[in-house]
Amino acid sequence: MKTTNVAVIGCGYWGPNLIRNFNHISSCNMKICSDLDENRLKRMKQLYPSIETTKNYQDLLSSDDIDVVAIATPVRTHYEIAKNCLNAGKHVMIEKPITSSVAECNELIRLAKEKNKVLMVGHTFEYTASVNKIKEIIESGEIGDILYIASTRVNLGLFQDDINVVWDLAPHDISIMLYLLGKMPVSVNAQGKAHYKRNIEDVAWVSMNFNDGLIAFLHNSWLDPYKIRKMTLVGSKKMLVYNDIETNEKIKIFDKGIKVPPYYDTFAEFHFSYRYGDIYSPRIDEYEPLEKECSHFIDCVQKNETPLSDGYDGLKVVTILEAANDSIKNAGKAIPITLPES
Ligand SMILES: NC(=O)c1ccc[n+]([C@@H]2O[C@H](COP(=O)([O-])OP(=O)(O)OC[C@H]3O[C@@H](n4cnc5c(N)ncnc54)[C@H](O)[C@@H]3O)[C@@H](O)[C@H]2O)c1
């Protein structure tokens, strides 16, 4: 099979991680990278002398040698760059969030279909060992029906210029939750506050409401003294805590819960009983999720398959982000979620 030649656009903070992984994957050839900043290109050349560089990403669009493009530029630029890449006949992987609006994402999905090209979004957490272990635990029925999920993703900075904290941090929480639950919320409420940059909220709370009564809360902040990456899933049988900051024991399962008495005659006889059982941490075979994500993209291109995190997966997340923004601008009003059929 012909080697798949890869181009990476954007060599700021995240792009070099993509370059490192594509460079490591034997089924592809990390051929060229692009950035507007000459210094970033010099740095990439120092790290990977055989890689070509260009300041103008249009150069790689006209090259028949490039099969796939991975985009790690600021969110506001994703749509334009991805559209040009698809029109030039390239398969495209875009960093999260896929675009800065639902309309842009719908257009990329349509274009990828028309050109018969793979469109993937970098929802990295869907490729982690921990999240896949949690999915396995939920599907085994061990924690019972999920009553609610609460996720905290906070730290100090990094303030962004073009997107608020929800668009910056919540794509991770939302993509994890949708992947774990396999369903979309019916409405979203959110509140947020911009303290330092006008109209760019630096702290926010989002709730996603599902039609079976399940509720999922997200707290995102660039203004917090702690770096926290924690998700609690409260089930009808057990409770699970996923702490991504932990190096070992990222997942803990608590055999804790509440039992309502089956019958009682008087109010005095009514007592919940609380169960304080064992706590255990399942074994997880760790690997680098980004390598899994990048090789999955190359695999899908070579086998003409649909990626796990395809354009439609990106659309679901952007739909919720857009609703959250709408709700923030409308004092926390519930915004109904509607999604076109895939
Ligand atoms: N999956 C993850 O865990 C993860 C983590 C961090 C960032 N990201 C995503 O990666 C993307 C980039 O984020 P970042 O933190 O690396 O941003 P960054 O600002 O550090 O880097 C972006 C780079 O893109 C370059 N750029 C901008 N426009 C360009 C153009 N037209 N052509 C070529 N280069 C251009 C800039 O010069 C800059 O070097 C965002 O979508 C972000 O959400 C994902």
Side-chain angles (χ1 to χ4, degrees), residues 128-164:
T128 60
S130 308
V131 169
N132 280 288
K133 185 74 189 177
I134 297 170
K135 193 166 169 62
E136 191 187 305
I137 292 166
I138 293 171
E139 285 167 2
S140 75
E142 183 177 354
I143 64 171
D145 296 329
I146 298 172
L147 306 178
Y148 80 90
I149 307 181
S151 183
T152 306
R153 189 173 298 271
V154 298
N155 43 257
L156 191 60
L158 296 170
F159 276 72
Q160 307 283 321
D161 291 326
D162 55 338
I163 48 172
N164 67 11

Side-chain angles (χ1 to χ4, degrees), residues 32-280:
I32 185 164
C33 63
S34 173
D35 201 291
L36 298 173
D37 182 344
E38 193 76 58
N39 291 326
R40 295 308 300 155
L41 294 179
K42 273 194 195 139
R43 180 71 187 131
M44 294 305 106
K45 199 77 188 160
Q46 275 171 352
L47 290 171
Y48 310 99
S50 64
I51 292 178
E52 297 163 34
T53 60
T54 174
K55 268 184 89 172
N56 184 357
Y57 82 88
Q58 304 278 353
D59 292 347
L60 52 93
L61 300 185
S62 49
S63 161
D64 286 343
D65 244 12
I66 304 299
D67 307 290
V68 309
V69 179
I71 301 168
T73 55
V75 182
R76 65 178 179 280
T77 66
H78 287 182
Y79 170 68
E80 189 68 27
I81 296 177
K83 188 178 72 174
N84 291 338
C85 292
L86 287 168
N87 272 325
K90 315 297 180 199
H91 301 275
V92 173
M93 175 169 130
I94 312 176
E95 260 318 317
K96 62 83 201 165
I98 190 164
T99 53
S100 43
S101 75
V102 166
E104 289 176 350
C105 188
N106 274 323
E107 177 53 18
L108 292 187
I109 292 172
R110 190 202 60 73
L111 195 55
K113 214 171 179 176
E114 181 191 302
K115 302 277 178 189
N116 194 23
K117 296 293 160 197
V118 172
L119 174 64
M120 174 162 155
V121 58
H123 288 163
T124 319
F125 280 90
E126 293 181 31
Y127 299 89
T128 60
S130 308
V131 169
N132 280 288
K133 185 74 189 177
I134 297 170
K135 193 166 169 62
E136 191 187 305
I137 292 166
I138 293 171
E139 285 167 2
S140 75
E142 183 177 354
I143 64 171
D145 296 329
I146 298 172
L147 306 178
Y148 80 90
I149 307 181
S151 183
T152 306
R153 189 173 298 271
V154 298
N155 43 257
L156 191 60
L158 296 170
F159 276 72
Q160 307 283 321
D161 291 326
D162 55 338
I163 48 172
N164 67 11
V165 73
V166 178
W167 282 76
D168 183 34
L169 299 182
H172 291 313
D173 307 287
I174 297 169
S175 64
I176 294 171
M177 289 177 184
L178 300 187
Y179 180 57
L180 292 178
L181 298 171
K183 58 187 173 191
M184 280 291 277
V186 287
S187 68
V188 169
N189 302 83
Q191 288 203 302
K193 188 90 184 149
H195 295 94
Y196 285 96
K197 288 190 177 179
R198 209 149 67 91
N199 293 329
I200 299 197
E201 288 78 16
D202 41 49
V203 59
W205 285 263
V206 179
S207 27
M208 300 198 288
N209 315 295
F210 293 80
N211 63 3
D212 54 2
L214 191 156
I215 187 161
F217 304 102
L218 289 73
H219 172 32
N220 296 128
S221 177
W222 292 324
L223 270 184
D224 199 282
Y226 281 113
K227 176 169 179 166
I228 304 175
R229 303 281 184 264
K230 197 162 99 180
M231 191 177 282
T232 303
L233 292 90
V234 173
S236 55
K237 293 185 187 160
K238 293 183 184 175
M239 302 177 184
L240 185 152
V241 176
Y242 166 36
N243 185 352
D244 197 37
I245 299 287
E246 288 272 350
T247 32
N248 300 309
E249 304 184 355
K250 283 183 188 289
I251 301 173
K252 285 201 178 116
I253 297 175
F254 296 75
D255 186 11
K256 288 188 176 188
I258 290 175
K259 255 193 169 163
V260 181
Y263 54 84
Y264 51 92
D265 292 328
T266 65
F267 185 71
E269 284 172 6
F270 176 87
H271 288 295
F272 282 137
S273 63
Y274 299 93
R275 198 178 66 259
Y276 300 95
D278 292 340
I279 302 167
Y280 85 95

